[in-house]
Amino acid sequence: MVKKKKVLIISGVVLAVIVFALSLNVFIMQKFVKTYTYTELEYRGYTTQDVREIKIKHSYLNRILSYNEWIIFVEFNKKPDILFQFTYRDDKIIFEGVSSEPMLDKEELLDYSERFKNGTLLGE
């Protein structure tokens, strides 16, 4: 009976350490991905002042299922209802597309996407 209790306690401690380590990894990586996202935006001609908010979502389950582990949403001050979606993969920030609430039609989404890519999005 005492042996089972020791095994249970040791298992609980090991599990807690693993959960803590994974959580710490996500916290540190979120800071890195956010900084790297700002760098990518600056490379494309956008400044830190242009950005209203960057939201970063992480999922170990997505990684297991071969989806994007990191999903990044960027909202600009001049385009508050438009979200520009990126992912962090292979040590790169990759532009994925545009979304909005309410949803824009296909032509408008493509227009926003192209204007973002060529750096003319905020130059209106």
Side-chain angles (χ1 to χ4, degrees):
M1 200 54 111
V2 173
K3 193 171 187 176
K4 285 183 181 180
K5 205 173 203 181
K6 281 184 181 180
V7 169
L8 190 59
I9 290 172
I10 291 171
S11 298
V13 169
V14 168
L15 181 63
V17 168
I18 291 171
V19 168
F20 175 75
L22 291 175
S23 298
L24 184 62
N25 177 53
V26 169
F27 178 76
I28 291 169
M29 281 300 297
Q30 278 183 330
K31 298 290 183 189
F32 171 77
V33 169
K34 190 171 197 173
T35 301
Y36 202 24
T37 301
Y38 276 114
T39 302
E40 176 66 21
L41 291 172
E42 286 176 12
Y43 173 75
R44 291 176 181 265
Y46 304 100
T47 66
T48 304
Q49 292 78 22
D50 293 332
V51 177
R52 173 179 275 178
E53 183 177 19
I54 293 179
K55 296 177 190 172
I56 300 172
K57 294 184 179 183
H58 175 266
S59 173
Y60 283 116
L61 181 60
N62 281 358
R63 183 177 187 176
I64 292 167
L65 298 174
S66 298
Y67 294 115
N68 294 327
E69 181 177 3
W70 296 94
I71 300 172
I72 307 155
F73 297 99
V74 176
E75 183 178 10
F76 291 100
N77 287 319
K78 290 186 177 180
K79 305 292 179 189
D81 297 329
I82 311 295
L83 294 177
F84 296 84
Q85 184 176 329
F86 300 81
T87 189
Y88 177 71
R89 179 174 63 234
D90 301 327
D91 296 326
K92 296 177 193 160
I93 301 292
I94 301 167
F95 179 66
E96 295 269 306
V98 180
S99 64
S100 68
E101 281 293 326
M103 190 63 158
L104 299 172
D105 64 34
K106 182 179 176 181
E107 288 78 24
E108 288 175 307
L109 290 176
L110 290 173
D111 180 53
Y112 275 114
S113 180
E114 287 305 312
R115 288 192 298 147
F116 171 79
K117 287 179 190 176
N118 64 28
T120 61
L121 176 70
L122 304 178
E124 298 172 346

